[in-house]
Amino acid sequence: LAKTTQPISMDSYEGQEVNITCSHNNIATNDYITWYQQFPSQGPRFIIQGYKTKVTNEVASLFIPADRKSSTLSLPRVSLSDTAVYYCLVGDKGSGTYKYIFGTGTRLKVLA
Amino acid sequence: IAGITQAPTSQILAAGRRMTLRCTQDMRHNAMYWYRQDLGLGLRLIHYSNTAGTTGKGEVPDGYSVSRANTDDFPLTLASAVPSQTSVYFCASNPGADEQETQYFGPGTRLLVL
């Protein structure tokens, strides 16, 4: 299973773009990269998932370089409500086993 | 749409007691998971089930057991609780079939073992 490394915490101001980078040097060929968001006292919530290049949805963008050894979650124009913990994880899709390693995540604090 | 429900919401348990945390999903997802979340350690996978009738061990399975008698339910049992099992427990599920797979999480169960 590919291990991920991401910053422990980040601070940003409202209206700014926030980029959170995650490294996953041992990513396997069949692995997808998935990002989750967790608010206090709640379970994690899916944000975005990708395999390579760039993926964009209504919430965020995910940039994945060609070697796929890292990925960057981009949150455009953050607001106070984006304060949360963000998890990068790499999914082992081989042999039908879906065991995701969440890690400790990045604690994002958005300031007014 | 209920999604995933967990019960109880919270529990205080004496060490040595047996406890079953319940998890039910109404999305007909094949795969289900149990995680524990401790301060500073993120979420760690305890057990998982790819489909009804099968289960597997995650990162921290010791002291826990699971069963998957049907698609909807995935109970987690602590046979003899210890204080180190004090944690927040999350159940999750995913379809297990599509490429764009995501996990849907329940609201969690807060367990305090004294």
mmCIF file of all heavy atoms in Angstrom, chain B residues 31-48:
data_model
loop_
_atom_site.group_PDB
_atom_site.id
_atom_site.type_symbol
_atom_site.label_atom_id
_atom_site.label_comp_id
_atom_site.label_asym_id
_atom_site.label_seq_id
_atom_site.Cartn_x
_atom_site.Cartn_y
_atom_site.Cartn_z
ATOM 1 N N ALA B 31 -18.847 -2.869 -0.409
ATOM 2 C CA ALA B 31 -17.722 -2.791 0.518
ATOM 3 C C ALA B 31 -18.062 -1.937 1.733
ATOM 4 O O ALA B 31 -18.695 -0.886 1.610
ATOM 5 C CB ALA B 31 -16.497 -2.212 -0.186
ATOM 6 N N MET B 32 -17.612 -2.386 2.904
ATOM 7 C CA MET B 32 -17.800 -1.634 4.140
ATOM 8 C C MET B 32 -16.530 -1.687 4.962
ATOM 9 O O MET B 32 -15.711 -2.607 4.829
ATOM 10 C CB MET B 32 -18.992 -2.178 4.939
ATOM 11 C CG MET B 32 -20.318 -2.031 4.205
ATOM 12 S SD MET B 32 -21.747 -2.486 5.193
ATOM 13 C CE MET B 32 -21.875 -1.075 6.294
ATOM 14 N N TYR B 33 -16.367 -0.665 5.810
ATOM 15 C CA TYR B 33 -15.113 -0.493 6.547
ATOM 16 C C TYR B 33 -15.412 -0.027 7.967
ATOM 17 O O TYR B 33 -16.386 0.680 8.212
ATOM 18 C CB TYR B 33 -14.231 0.571 5.873
ATOM 19 C CG TYR B 33 -14.056 0.393 4.390
ATOM 20 C CD1 TYR B 33 -15.019 0.857 3.499
ATOM 21 C CD2 TYR B 33 -12.933 -0.242 3.873
ATOM 22 C CE1 TYR B 33 -14.867 0.695 2.137
ATOM 23 C CE2 TYR B 33 -12.770 -0.407 2.509
ATOM 24 C CZ TYR B 33 -13.740 0.056 1.648
ATOM 25 O OH TYR B 33 -13.591 -0.112 0.301
ATOM 26 N N TRP B 34 -14.493 -0.325 8.872
ATOM 27 C CA TRP B 34 -14.480 0.263 10.202
ATOM 28 C C TRP B 34 -13.125 0.925 10.434
ATOM 29 O O TRP B 34 -12.081 0.298 10.208
ATOM 30 C CB TRP B 34 -14.707 -0.787 11.287
ATOM 31 C CG TRP B 34 -16.129 -1.050 11.593
ATOM 32 C CD1 TRP B 34 -16.866 -2.138 11.253
ATOM 33 C CD2 TRP B 34 -17.013 -0.199 12.338
ATOM 34 N NE1 TRP B 34 -18.156 -2.021 11.721
ATOM 35 C CE2 TRP B 34 -18.269 -0.836 12.393
ATOM 36 C CE3 TRP B 34 -16.870 1.045 12.963
ATOM 37 C CZ2 TRP B 34 -19.365 -0.289 13.040
ATOM 38 C CZ3 TRP B 34 -17.953 1.591 13.604
ATOM 39 C CH2 TRP B 34 -19.189 0.931 13.641
ATOM 40 N N TYR B 35 -13.175 2.186 10.864
ATOM 41 C CA TYR B 35 -11.976 2.940 11.206
ATOM 42 C C TYR B 35 -12.081 3.397 12.658
ATOM 43 O O TYR B 35 -13.159 3.600 13.189
ATOM 44 C CB TYR B 35 -11.856 4.206 10.348
ATOM 45 C CG TYR B 35 -11.612 3.979 8.882
ATOM 46 C CD1 TYR B 35 -12.682 3.817 7.999
ATOM 47 C CD2 TYR B 35 -10.331 3.952 8.369
ATOM 48 C CE1 TYR B 35 -12.468 3.625 6.644
ATOM 49 C CE2 TYR B 35 -10.103 3.774 7.006
ATOM 50 C CZ TYR B 35 -11.180 3.606 6.160
ATOM 51 O OH TYR B 35 -10.965 3.422 4.819
ATOM 52 N N ARG B 36 -10.926 3.631 13.261
ATOM 53 C CA ARG B 36 -10.873 4.354 14.512
ATOM 54 C C ARG B 36 -10.049 5.613 14.298
ATOM 55 O O ARG B 36 -9.102 5.608 13.492
ATOM 56 C CB ARG B 36 -10.307 3.507 15.652
ATOM 57 C CG ARG B 36 -8.908 2.993 15.473
ATOM 58 C CD ARG B 36 -8.423 2.252 16.726
ATOM 59 N NE ARG B 36 -8.203 3.147 17.847
ATOM 60 C CZ ARG B 36 -7.910 2.750 19.093
ATOM 61 N NH1 ARG B 36 -7.820 1.456 19.366
ATOM 62 N NH2 ARG B 36 -7.713 3.618 20.054
ATOM 63 N N GLN B 37 -10.440 6.653 14.995
ATOM 64 C CA GLN B 37 -9.725 7.920 14.863
ATOM 65 C C GLN B 37 -9.303 8.397 16.239
ATOM 66 O O GLN B 37 -10.133 8.644 17.109
ATOM 67 C CB GLN B 37 -10.580 8.978 14.186
ATOM 68 C CG GLN B 37 -9.825 10.274 13.912
ATOM 69 C CD GLN B 37 -10.574 11.226 13.015
ATOM 70 O OE1 GLN B 37 -11.788 11.357 13.099
ATOM 71 N NE2 GLN B 37 -9.860 11.903 12.117
ATOM 72 N N ASP B 38 -8.015 8.534 16.402
ATOM 73 C CA ASP B 38 -7.434 9.016 17.640
ATOM 74 C C ASP B 38 -6.685 10.300 17.365
ATOM 75 O O ASP B 38 -6.106 10.474 16.290
ATOM 76 C CB ASP B 38 -6.479 7.965 18.219
ATOM 77 C CG ASP B 38 -7.158 6.624 18.410
ATOM 78 O OD1 ASP B 38 -8.101 6.565 19.206
ATOM 79 O OD2 ASP B 38 -6.755 5.660 17.744
ATOM 80 N N LEU B 39 -6.664 11.175 18.355
ATOM 81 C CA LEU B 39 -6.017 12.479 18.204
ATOM 82 C C LEU B 39 -4.565 12.294 17.790
ATOM 83 O O LEU B 39 -3.822 11.558 18.429
ATOM 84 C CB LEU B 39 -6.107 13.249 19.516
ATOM 85 C CG LEU B 39 -5.827 14.744 19.445
ATOM 86 C CD1 LEU B 39 -6.857 15.431 18.551
ATOM 87 C CD2 LEU B 39 -5.838 15.354 20.830
ATOM 88 N N GLY B 40 -4.200 12.952 16.710
ATOM 89 C CA GLY B 40 -2.821 12.906 16.249
ATOM 90 C C GLY B 40 -2.470 11.694 15.407
ATOM 91 O O GLY B 40 -1.351 11.614 14.882
ATOM 92 N N LEU B 41 -3.405 10.763 15.263
ATOM 93 C CA LEU B 41 -3.098 9.545 14.503
ATOM 94 C C LEU B 41 -3.966 9.388 13.272
ATOM 95 O O LEU B 41 -3.844 8.404 12.562
ATOM 96 C CB LEU B 41 -3.260 8.316 15.403
ATOM 97 C CG LEU B 41 -2.280 8.208 16.557
ATOM 98 C CD1 LEU B 41 -2.604 6.992 17.407
ATOM 99 C CD2 LEU B 41 -0.845 8.125 16.043
ATOM 100 N N GLY B 42 -4.842 10.300 13.008
ATOM 101 C CA GLY B 42 -5.682 10.187 11.824
ATOM 102 C C GLY B 42 -6.628 9.003 11.929
ATOM 103 O O GLY B 42 -6.942 8.524 13.014
ATOM 104 N N LEU B 43 -7.093 8.530 10.796
ATOM 105 C CA LEU B 43 -7.991 7.374 10.752
ATOM 106 C C LEU B 43 -7.194 6.113 10.447
ATOM 107 O O LEU B 43 -6.379 6.107 9.515
ATOM 108 C CB LEU B 43 -9.055 7.559 9.667
ATOM 109 C CG LEU B 43 -10.172 8.536 9.982
ATOM 110 C CD1 LEU B 43 -9.885 9.865 9.338
ATOM 111 C CD2 LEU B 43 -11.506 8.006 9.504
ATOM 112 N N ARG B 44 -7.448 5.082 11.193
ATOM 113 C CA ARG B 44 -6.788 3.816 10.959
ATOM 114 C C ARG B 44 -7.826 2.723 10.722
ATOM 115 O O ARG B 44 -8.791 2.611 11.479
ATOM 116 C CB ARG B 44 -5.887 3.452 12.138
ATOM 117 C CG ARG B 44 -4.700 4.407 12.314
ATOM 118 C CD ARG B 44 -3.825 3.991 13.483
ATOM 119 N NE ARG B 44 -4.507 4.177 14.758
ATOM 120 C CZ ARG B 44 -4.043 3.728 15.916
ATOM 121 N NH1 ARG B 44 -2.921 3.041 15.962
ATOM 122 N NH2 ARG B 44 -4.729 3.960 17.038
ATOM 123 N N LEU B 45 -7.588 1.934 9.692
ATOM 124 C CA LEU B 45 -8.538 0.899 9.308
ATOM 125 C C LEU B 45 -8.448 -0.288 10.261
ATOM 126 O O LEU B 45 -7.373 -0.817 10.508
ATOM 127 C CB LEU B 45 -8.246 0.454 7.871
ATOM 128 C CG LEU B 45 -9.185 -0.593 7.289
ATOM 129 C CD1 LEU B 45 -10.574 -0.016 7.110
ATOM 130 C CD2 LEU B 45 -8.643 -1.098 5.950
ATOM 131 N N ILE B 46 -9.594 -0.715 10.773
ATOM 132 C CA ILE B 46 -9.639 -1.839 11.706
ATOM 133 C C ILE B 46 -9.936 -3.139 10.947
ATOM 134 O O ILE B 46 -9.172 -4.088 10.983
ATOM 135 C CB ILE B 46 -10.726 -1.612 12.780
ATOM 136 C CG1 ILE B 46 -10.491 -0.296 13.515
ATOM 137 C CG2 ILE B 46 -10.741 -2.772 13.774
ATOM 138 C CD1 ILE B 46 -11.640 0.091 14.442
ATOM 139 N N HIS B 47 -11.085 -3.159 10.311
ATOM 140 C CA HIS B 47 -11.511 -4.296 9.494
ATOM 141 C C HIS B 47 -12.267 -3.777 8.285
ATOM 142 O O HIS B 47 -12.769 -2.660 8.294
ATOM 143 C CB HIS B 47 -12.420 -5.242 10.286
ATOM 144 C CG HIS B 47 -11.732 -6.104 11.279
ATOM 145 N ND1 HIS B 47 -10.948 -7.182 10.944
ATOM 146 C CD2 HIS B 47 -11.745 -6.042 12.638
ATOM 147 C CE1 HIS B 47 -10.494 -7.757 12.047
ATOM 148 N NE2 HIS B 47 -10.956 -7.091 13.083
ATOM 149 N N TYR B 48 -12.348 -4.619 7.276
ATOM 150 C CA TYR B 48 -13.117 -4.251 6.104
ATOM 151 C C TYR B 48 -13.847 -5.484 5.579
ATOM 152 O O TYR B 48 -13.551 -6.616 5.967
ATOM 153 C CB TYR B 48 -12.219 -3.651 5.010
ATOM 154 C CG TYR B 48 -11.254 -4.646 4.407
ATOM 155 C CD1 TYR B 48 -11.549 -5.310 3.224
ATOM 156 C CD2 TYR B 48 -10.040 -4.924 5.032
ATOM 157 C CE1 TYR B 48 -10.671 -6.230 2.682
ATOM 158 C CE2 TYR B 48 -9.159 -5.845 4.506
ATOM 159 C CZ TYR B 48 -9.475 -6.492 3.337
ATOM 160 O OH TYR B 48 -8.607 -7.404 2.804
#
